[in-house]
Amino acid sequence: MPRFLTLVRVDENNVPEEGFSPEMGERMGALLKEITEAGVMLETAGLAPTSEGRRITWSGGKLSYTDGPFTESTEVVGGYSIIQAKDMAEAVEWANRFLKVHDDVWTVTCEVRQITEMTDEG
C-alpha cells in the first residue's frame, strides 16, 4: 500500500495565542485514535517554531546557513504525518478530516504527497 507525507502548513504569525481549545484537543485526540486504530497512521509530529531552526543551502558549490525565524516565509511546515492509504483520494480524505477538527480561528493547509520508494537503480 502506498505511503503519503502530509505537510501541515501554518502562518506562524497568526497561530492563536491560546493554542488548541479543549474541544479541539478532544476532536484531535479522537481522530488520531481512529486513524491509528485503522492502521493508516504510521508517524506524526509537530515541529518547533522556525525561530529555533536553521536552513542549509547548497548553491554554487558552497553551503550557506540561515538561522530562523524565516520571516520571508508566509507559511511554514508546522507538522507532518506519514500515512499508509490505498490511494491519493483516501489520503486526501484523512487530511480533510484533520483540517476539519481545527477551530474556525485557525488557518491550516495540508499538502499531501505520495512517497516514492528509492531503489538501488535510482
Side-chain angles (χ1 to χ4, degrees):
M1 218 186 305
R3 295 180 304 147
F4 296 87
L5 173 67
T6 303
L7 299 169
V8 180
R9 297 183 183 275
V10 297
D11 178 346
E12 279 188 318
N13 298 318
N14 291 315
V15 172
E17 282 186 34
E18 65 278 1
F20 291 170
S21 69
E23 297 81 12
M24 182 178 156
E26 289 175 20
R27 292 190 305 269
M28 186 69 71
L31 177 63
L32 290 176
K33 181 179 179 188
E34 180 184 352
I35 193 171
T36 300
E37 289 177 352
V40 174
M41 180 65 71
L42 301 177
E43 182 178 334
T44 189
L47 300 176
T50 63
S51 61
E52 299 174 21
R54 177 173 262 204
R55 284 189 180 157
I56 307 165
T57 302
W58 175 258
S59 179
K62 295 181 182 178
L63 290 173
S64 63
Y65 302 89
T66 306
D67 290 331
F70 310 122
T71 55
E72 71 280 2
S73 300
T74 56
E75 282 188 334
V76 298
V77 177
Y80 73 95
S81 71
I82 298 176
I83 64 172
Q84 185 170 278
K86 64 183 176 188
D87 54 25
M88 178 63 83
E90 181 185 10
V92 167
E93 180 55 34
W94 283 110
N96 289 343
R97 292 185 61 194
F98 168 78
L99 291 172
K100 289 178 182 178
V101 302
H102 288 77
D103 295 324
D104 291 344
V105 297
W106 284 82
T107 300
V108 184
T109 302
C110 283
E111 179 179 334
V112 180
R113 298 178 59 189
Q114 186 168 346
I115 298 171
T116 58
E117 302 299 331
M118 300 300 289
T119 64
D120 290 338
E121 293 84 41

